[in-house]
Amino acid sequence: MNVLVLNCGSSSLKFAVIDPGEQRELVSGIAQRLGTPAATIDVKRDGGRSPRAVGGAAHAEALRAIVDELSREGLTRNLGGVGHRVVHGGSRFSASTAITPEVIAKIEECIPLGPLHNPPNLVGIRIARELFPGLSQVAVFDTAFHQTMLPVAYTYPVPHEWEEKFGVRRYGFHGTSHRYVARRALAEAGLPADDHALVTAHLGNGCSCAAVRNGRSVDTTMGLTPLEGLMMGTRSGSVDPAIIGHVAGARRGAPEAVLEDLNKKSGLLGVSGLSNDMRTIEEAAAAGHPRARLAFDLFCSILAKSIASLVVPLGRLDALVFTGGIGENSTAVRERTVSHLGFLGLVLDPDANAAHGRGRHGRITTGERPQALVVATNEELLIALDTAEIVGGNGR
Ligand code: ADP
């Protein structure tokens, strides 16, 4: 049985067909700039790409075209289910769930918490239900893994009634990635499933860390929204919230515009003035660009301080896991971060650090405990595995 995995964003749609039994991806790709004249569908097969223009296509049309293409190649024949990435499940979902009309209604109720993400996620669910009426659909939530956090981790020190009235609490994101790499890291680091203390650092365009004790998330750096916590590609991460009123007042503008800048024009991009892309930052810093250097230094400093703070709820640290585009590929970020954390007993093995990258995982420090390691994330695979487990193998 294969699973179609869908991740619908506001103007993009990522897809993959995965054989969960063999843990093998048969095909994957992305439709981008949907709803604009520049819309494309880019299917990746056997390492190659074949982008084609589908000018003006919106999500429904693009997904139909993708499914047509996949079925011509026989890739939809053995589908047992469709797994959807859903960003915000609020406090309503603590695990992946078979999609029913009631579940759709609950995801809709979470729209105020995830106004940018949940609506396109729901579009993907609706279209897939139309295209595959007989097939089970499963929602896999970014927030679900962190629902094990206790009140002392998820409560903001704000007026108590805000939580009940407005849902103001910390939810955390990237849960699928944190759950996947935490599981993989146990085998890699030789740690027991019932007694371990990990910090997982998912460093992509969005960045977050999680504290994982015995398979459960006990704390994480993102909060009500993905804006909190680490410095990211374009997001500031945690800042003094008074900045919003201060800048809005000084610009005689709306606070929403400042919030938009904290989400889209800050982080690596804002500090460097160059780019949100860590490769560009590293190259410019190496060439002596002062603000690129500052952006790199700040990114690693905030990351290391956040990792250290997560050792408090864990009580100890057995392993620090790097993942995501930056975590898997940037030897420089890993080197600097581990060096900041030397006081925890982490000592970098420079050869091992240089040797690890995407597709190659393992330990990058010299000692047994604590150790730092690289584990490649695979959120699509975990969505496929959850979907297969929930549909029970027959997909109906
Ligand atoms: P997303 O969160 O969109 O899935 P990725 O996980 O692919 O993003 O991560 C993208 C980030 O990874 C970018 O900042 C990119 O610069 C960084 N990255 C990818 N390869 C390297 C590399 N070799 N060295 C440094 N950074 C890298």
Side-chain angles (χ1 to χ4, degrees):
M1 176 195 104
N2 298 328
V3 173
L4 173 65
V5 176
L6 291 180
N7 178 357
C8 250
S10 57
S11 64
S12 71
L13 190 168
K14 288 189 197 157
F15 63 92
V17 177
I18 291 178
D19 175 349
E22 299 284 323
Q23 307 214 349
R24 194 165 63 92
E25 180 184 288
L26 306 178
V27 65
S28 68
I30 184 167
Q32 296 182 90
R33 296 177 290 276
L34 294 174
T36 77
T40 55
I41 296 176
D42 196 348
V43 182
K44 192 174 86 181
R45 267 187 224 90
D46 307 323
R49 288 188 166 276
S50 54
R52 67 187 167 93
V54 285
H59 289 83
E61 214 177 310
L63 188 54
R64 229 163 258 134
I66 290 163
V67 169
D68 275 354
E69 187 167 335
L70 300 185
S71 50
R72 273 199 301 278
E73 296 174 23
L75 287 162
T76 51
R77 210 177 299 137
N78 198 21
L79 277 189
V82 184
H84 297 266
R85 177 188 183 212
V86 180
V87 170
H88 219 309
S91 305
R92 295 170 194 278
F93 297 100
S94 54
S96 302
T97 311
I99 295 174
T100 61
E102 293 73 41
V103 166
I104 291 177
K106 283 188 189 169
I107 297 172
E108 281 168 348
E109 285 167 24
C110 294
I111 288 176
L113 295 169
L116 300 179
H117 296 106
N118 280 25
N121 297 159
L122 281 160
V123 168
I125 290 172
R126 284 208 189 92
I127 302 168
R129 276 163 63 93
E130 278 166 32
L131 285 175
F132 303 102
L135 215 52
S136 299
Q137 316 258 335
V138 170
V140 179
F141 299 91
D142 265 31
T143 47
F145 182 55
H146 303 298
Q147 281 294 302
T148 46
M149 287 195 293
L150 296 175
V152 72
Y154 71 65
T155 306
Y156 286 114
V158 296
H160 188 64
E161 67 274 14
W162 288 5
E163 187 192 338
E164 207 175 302
K165 281 189 181 157
F166 314 126
V168 171
R169 50 156 285 181
R170 306 182 65 250
Y171 295 97
F173 297 88
H174 291 145
T176 315
S177 179
H178 290 298
R179 180 160 62 105
Y180 179 80
V181 298
R183 204 194 274 176
R184 294 290 299 262
L186 292 191
E188 200 74 49
L191 292 166
D194 60 353
D195 185 21
H196 58 263
L198 313 176
V199 172
T200 48
H202 176 101
L203 310 174
N205 280 311
C207 301
S208 72
C209 287
V212 182
R213 189 81 160 106
N214 306 341
R216 295 157 72 90
S217 170
V218 293
D219 210 339
T220 189
T221 54
M222 282 179 169
L224 173 76
T225 75
L227 183 57
E228 190 180 346
L230 305 176
M231 176 174 167
M232 316 183 202
T234 62
R235 295 190 199 120
S236 61
S238 295
V239 292
D240 182 344
I243 288 176
I244 296 176
H246 177 78
V247 175
R251 296 203 297 211
R252 296 177 201 281
E256 289 78 11
V258 185
L259 198 56
E260 172 105 351
D261 288 351
L262 292 177
N263 267 303
K264 299 199 172 145
K265 294 190 181 164
S266 300
L268 293 173
L269 173 66
V271 175
S272 70
L274 275 181
S275 171
N276 64 327
D277 191 297
M278 185 54 95
R279 274 168 297 202
T280 310
I281 299 297
E282 286 183 14
E283 280 159 21
H289 189 289
R291 278 170 55 192
R293 259 194 208 155
L294 177 61
F296 178 85
D297 292 349
L298 193 55
F299 182 92
C300 297
S301 167
I302 291 171
L303 173 60
K305 287 196 278 188
S306 301
I307 292 165
S309 74
L310 290 175
V311 180
V312 174
L314 288 173
R316 66 170 206 249
L317 181 68
D318 298 335
L320 165 62
V321 185
F322 287 98
T323 196
I326 298 173
E328 291 165 35
N329 296 299
S330 173
T331 51
V333 167
R334 296 195 302 250
E335 179 184 347
R336 177 70 66 84
T337 308
V338 167
S339 113
H340 280 310
L341 295 170
F343 71 93
L344 288 172
L346 290 168
V347 181
L348 194 79
D349 176 338
D351 293 335
N353 187 41
H356 288 98
R358 218 178 252 285
R360 177 136 188 237
H361 5 160
R363 179 147 39 115
I364 57 163
T365 47
T366 55
E368 274 295 317
R369 222 179 263 199
Q371 60 174 277
L373 61 158
V374 180
V375 176
T377 195
N378 193 339
E379 293 163 86
E380 293 76 19
L381 175 59
L382 192 54
I383 293 173
L385 288 168
D386 277 9
T387 303
E389 197 179 319
I390 286 172
V391 306
N394 63 11
R396 302 272 158 172

